[in-house]
Every structure is written in structure tokens, then in C-alpha cells.
Amino acid sequence: MSGIKNQLAKNQLAKNQRNQVQNVAVLGATGSIGQSTLDVLSHLPNRFRVALLSCHQRLDRFQEQCDRFRPKRAIVTGPRNTEVDAWLSGSVGLSGTVGLSGTVGSSETVREVGAERLIEAIVSDEIDIVVAAIVGCAGLESSLAAASAGKRLGLANKESLVVAGELLITAARSSGAELLPIDSEHSAIFQAIQSGQCKSEVQRIILTASGGPLRKWPVRDLENATVEDALAHPTWNMGRKITVDSATMMNKALEVIEAKWLFDLTPEQITVVIHPQSTIHSMVEFCDGSVIGQLSPPDMRLPIQYALTYPDRVPSPANKIDWREPHQMEWYPVDPERYPALELGFEVARRGGTTGAVLNGANEAAVELFLNRKIRLTEIAKICRSVLDHHDYSPSPTLDELMRLDRWSREEVFRWINIPC
Ligand code: NAD
Ligand code: MG
């Protein structure tokens, strides 16, 4: 939050430039955020053009998106297999004729395969805005590429900041890239913080958490929670990984780290409260005691759109609060016994260095094991604690070191439960 006013002035300049249609890349287009982004973009054809789509799997859905939005480039980053080969050659969901280069005749979409192609496309002049909606550390390279190339980066992929916050923020600063949060809590803070003049006026931020589907379960029963129990989120409809993270509250732990980097806060300035209705998306408390929050129904299309159109606000397809209906708003403190993962986020926010990469890698591996019914939900935080405690800490790691620790932490998780990697 270095100089809100400067930021606004800079963006007024950008606004003048934005009279042209902006070319948008949606990374992770087939996921929950990717699909919501395309919905937002479909309502704003005079401002945005879908120039690039990427996905890792779900090629049937991907091809439908390509048929509808006709991007210049469509890139699959998943492993090469017969399904990908069929898509590349045009026999999956074909809407036009396919040239030898993989170009679909009617839509002019060039089909490509490979993560290197994606990076090369992101940094090219063809792209103005990148929506980073890949899940997990797999999204880091593309987030970094967009930040280094000076693009507007709408960041849903919080793991990028958790793993390599310092590198990502530095890359954005030196290239002049605009880093705009899509995570609803961070979008809320970004919106609320504009009520202040400068950083010293911010006392704290209050991150809200729904508490997830198991909020009311007796703590002793949590170890018996099934995959289905953990995926039954009461207020948000999201991808599987983030939904499990919400059940353990690891999601809020990651968001504490994300907030630290985005808004340059100390961990002591971050408070987490449970707000089961998910209507207040987060709040900023200023030094005079005023608390400014952002409210709306739980619908990711609003923060996605704001990241795209900022500093403008334009009509949105997102759901609105019906103020004629009675509505309850509660908040509660977080019980550390029920949600031990949250403390891990504060610890990483305090220690920095290699801790974010290790926590994130361990969590991704543990969540995958839980989803494959190999471990209990309650083991996720325990495993992450153990891996974090046993890693070789370094305060200012390089990207290569972070990537090595990401792999190491995943292997540790598999070792922990004696599964060959
Ligand atoms: P999702 O699982 O629904 O979709 C993930 C997308 O990433 C898919 O398009 C998939 O093909 C792609 N992908 C998966 N593995 C990949 C890899 N190795 N390389 C490249 N692409 C890969 O996930 P989601 O719920 O949309 O979440 C995406 C990101 O947004 C996550 O970082 C999540 O924390 C964040 N986020 C999501 C929500 C939400 O409401 N879903 C809210 C806030 C933040
Ligand atoms: Mg969030």
C-alpha cells in the first residue's frame, strides 16, 4: 500500500489508456475462478477481449470455452496424452476446420501445448491483463512472468504469494505491473483501504472466514470427517483444493500470508474472525477506530470484475444483497483447537524466507492425500507443522531454492505416511 494517492494517480493515467479494448489472458480457465472470469468478461465486450485461455485438464469444457470466446491462443499445460493429442489435432469438440498448425479455421484459435508456450504468450505484447486462476504452486511461474513483464495481474492464485511473496512483489514493483487481488477478502481490503490516505493510518485488517462446513462439529469428531463432509462448503462453491483448505482453515492461514505481502502489514496487524454468513468480505480498522468493510453476497464475480476494471466500477452480473430481506451478521473468535492450521499462517508471516514454500508444498500434498482418502482431515495441519519444523530454514531464498523446497516438502509428506513418491 505504498502511497494510495500515487496509485490512484497512476491509474488515472492507465484509465486514459484503457479507452482501447484490453486483451485478457485467463489462466486456469476451466476452474471455478476461470469460469467466473469468463462470465464477467462476457458482460464487458466493449472493454475486454479474451485473448488467451489455458487449462491443465477438462479439455471438453476447455474446447467449449474456446468455441464461445474464440481466443487467439488456447494452451493446454497438462501432460501430453492421447486426449491432448486429439485436442491438438482438432478432433475434440471441433467447431471449425483444423489447419496443420493446429489453427481452428472458423475461430482462428491457435491450439498449443506446454507450460513454456504459456509463459511466452503471457509476456508477449498480445496480452494486457493476466487473470491468474491456476490452483497451487503450479501457478507461480506464470504469475511471476506476468509481474515481471509489467502486466496487470489479477491474482486469484494466492499460493504464488505464499511461496514467493517477496520475489513476486519485487518483480511487480520493478516492472510497474499492477498487482490486483481477486481473493474476496483481499479485494475487500483493497477497496476499504482506499478510505485512508497513507499506510500509517491503518491500524489493522480483519480477515473474515466462514468457518467452513465443520464449524459446528464437536472437535473430537473432526478426525472422522469424510471428503464429502469437507467439500460441503456452506457459502462458497469453489475448486476442491481451496474447499478442503477452508474446512481446515489453512485457506485463512494462506490468506494471512497473502495479506502481509499485498498490503505490507506485520502479522500483528492481521486479525481473523469467523463470520459464517460470508457477507462482510473483510475490513480495515483505521487509527481513529473507524472500521470500513466491503459487503456483498458470496459471489467471486464481483472481486474478479473489480480487478479487471479498477479503478472503475461498472454494473456487474454478481448477485446483490436484498436489503428488504432480514439478514443476520455474526462474528466469532477463532478456536485454535478446532483450527490449528491458522497459527501456521501467522508463523510463516512472521518468519518469511523459506517457510511459505514449505508450508504450501506440504499442504498441497496433504490435501491431495486427504482427497484420495489416504489420511484424515485432522492430519493435514499436523503434517504441515512437522514438515515446517524439520526444514532447513533460510531467510532470503532464491526461486530455485524455493522450488527445491516445494518438491522436498511434498516428498516429506509422502514419507511421513510411508507412501513411495
Ligand atoms: P479449480 O481447481 O477449480 O481450477 C484450477 C484451474 O487450474 C483449472 O483450470 C486447472 O485446469 C488448472 N490447473 C490445475 N493444475 C494445474 C497445473 N499444474 N498447471 C496449470 N494449470 C493447472 O481451482 P479454483 O477454485 O478456481 O482456484 C484457483 C485459484 O484461485 C486457487 O489458487 C485458489 O486458492 C484461488 N481462489 C479461488 C476462489 C474460488 O472461489 N474458487 C476464491 C479465492 C481464491
Ligand atoms: Mg478468500
Side-chain angles (χ1 to χ4, degrees):
M1 201 194 69
S2 60
I4 296 166
K5 295 286 172 201
N6 284 350
Q7 175 84 9
L8 289 174
K10 192 176 142 201
N11 287 301
Q12 189 54 43
L13 201 71
K15 186 176 178 178
N16 299 339
Q17 291 164 354
R18 274 204 310 277
N19 288 329
Q20 299 161 352
V21 174
Q22 304 272 292
N23 288 310
V24 183
V26 184
L27 317 185
T30 51
S32 160
I33 293 287
Q35 292 178 81
S36 296
T37 303
L38 287 174
D39 190 25
V40 169
L41 292 170
S42 71
H43 286 84
L44 299 169
N46 297 330
R47 284 185 77 123
F48 303 110
R49 180 184 306 120
V50 178
L52 164 66
L53 294 177
S54 90
C55 84
H56 208 63
Q57 62 273 94
R58 294 297 313 261
L59 293 188
D60 48 347
R61 181 180 289 170
F62 191 53
Q63 189 52 43
E64 278 169 29
Q65 294 177 328
C66 292
D67 288 343
R68 177 158 177 224
F69 291 94
R70 305 185 167 209
K72 263 188 152 177
R73 299 173 81 163
I75 305 179
V76 173
T77 53
R80 195 77 185 251
N81 56 30
T82 48
E83 194 195 2
V84 173
D85 285 342
W87 174 80
L88 197 56
S89 68
S91 55
V92 172
L94 184 62
S95 69
T97 54
V98 177
L100 287 175
S101 62
T103 305
V104 182
S106 67
S107 67
E108 300 289 326
T109 296
V110 178
R111 301 175 185 209
E112 296 168 88
V113 174
E116 325 72 51
R117 288 292 181 89
L118 183 61
I119 301 300
E120 174 239 306
I122 288 169
V123 302
S124 75
D125 290 346
E126 291 165 17
I127 301 299
D128 303 305
I129 302 176
V130 174
V131 174
I134 292 173
V135 62
C137 181
L140 173 60
E141 195 187 0
S142 46
S143 298
L144 267 175
S148 307
K151 308 291 175 183
R152 172 173 287 207
L153 174 59
L155 192 68
N157 179 263
K158 65 191 82 183
E159 295 90 347
S160 291
L161 280 171
V162 172
V163 174
E166 188 146 20
L167 298 179
L168 190 65
I169 296 290
T170 307
R173 272 204 199 116
S174 45
S175 71
E178 290 178 291
L179 184 49
L180 292 162
I182 283 182
D183 214 348
S184 56
E185 295 78 359
H186 304 73
S187 175
I189 292 162
F190 181 62
Q191 295 177 57
I193 217 164
Q194 290 171 40
S195 296
Q197 300 284 328
C198 61
K199 196 186 160 215
S200 62
E201 292 181 359
V202 175
Q203 187 71 28
R204 74 176 71 243
I205 63 163
I206 300 103
L207 287 179
T208 53
S210 70
L214 313 173
R215 182 173 66 89
K216 290 188 170 165
W217 281 38
V219 173
R220 65 175 179 281
D221 291 349
L222 290 175
E223 63 174 11
N224 298 321
T226 63
V227 171
E228 291 70 26
D229 294 328
L231 288 179
H233 199 285
T235 50
W236 290 100
N237 185 8
M238 311 180 283
R240 283 158 65 87
K241 189 258 177 186
I242 186 176
T243 307
V244 174
D245 285 348
S246 297
T248 58
M249 213 176 275
M250 185 64 81
N251 184 45
K252 216 48 55 180
L254 304 181
E255 291 184 357
V256 166
I257 307 162
E258 183 184 12
K260 167 201 145 128
W261 288 115
L262 280 174
F263 306 107
D264 191 19
L265 299 166
T266 63
E268 293 70 34
Q269 286 179 290
I270 304 173
T271 301
V272 175
V273 298
I274 293 188
H275 166 51
Q277 290 80 16
S278 301
T279 304
I280 308 173
H281 294 297
S282 278
M283 298 171 270
V284 178
E285 182 184 302
F286 289 94
C287 54
D288 60 358
S290 267
V291 178
I292 311 283
Q294 186 262 329
L295 282 69
S296 54
D299 186 333
M300 288 306 295
R301 290 175 298 179
L302 196 151
I304 292 168
Q305 176 171 300
Y306 192 61
L308 292 166
T309 64
Y310 171 81
D312 302 340
R313 291 186 183 274
V314 298
S316 150
N319 300 318
K320 315 281 181 299
I321 294 174
D322 183 349
W323 292 101
R324 295 163 306 182
E325 292 295 319
H327 191 89
Q328 234 184 338
M329 280 195 220
E330 307 155 287
W331 55 83
Y332 306 98
V334 179
D335 173 4
E337 203 195 339
R338 176 181 297 279
Y339 301 111
L342 183 60
E343 175 47 31
L344 297 171
F346 280 102
E347 181 175 325
V348 168
R350 273 191 299 274
R351 294 178 69 198
T354 44
T355 55
V358 171
L359 174 64
N360 183 71
N363 180 56
E364 283 192 32
V367 169
E368 197 186 315
L369 287 175
F370 170 70
L371 285 169
N372 291 327
R373 302 176 200 275
K374 301 272 194 262
I375 61 171
R376 293 174 187 273
L377 185 78
T378 44
E379 282 181 280
I380 296 175
K382 289 181 193 155
I383 293 176
C384 289
R385 156 61 61 209
S386 164
V387 177
L388 195 58
D389 287 349
H390 289 95
H391 93 279
D392 224 351
Y393 175 76
S394 157
S396 36
T398 62
L399 184 59
D400 283 349
E401 284 169 316
L402 292 173
M403 292 301 88
R404 187 185 60 74
L405 277 166
D406 173 65
R407 286 190 298 276
W408 173 85
S409 55
R410 290 165 198 264
E411 287 161 14
E412 279 301 291
V413 173
F414 285 93
R415 236 172 260 140
W416 209 78
I417 60 154
N418 292 321
I419 293 183
C421 319

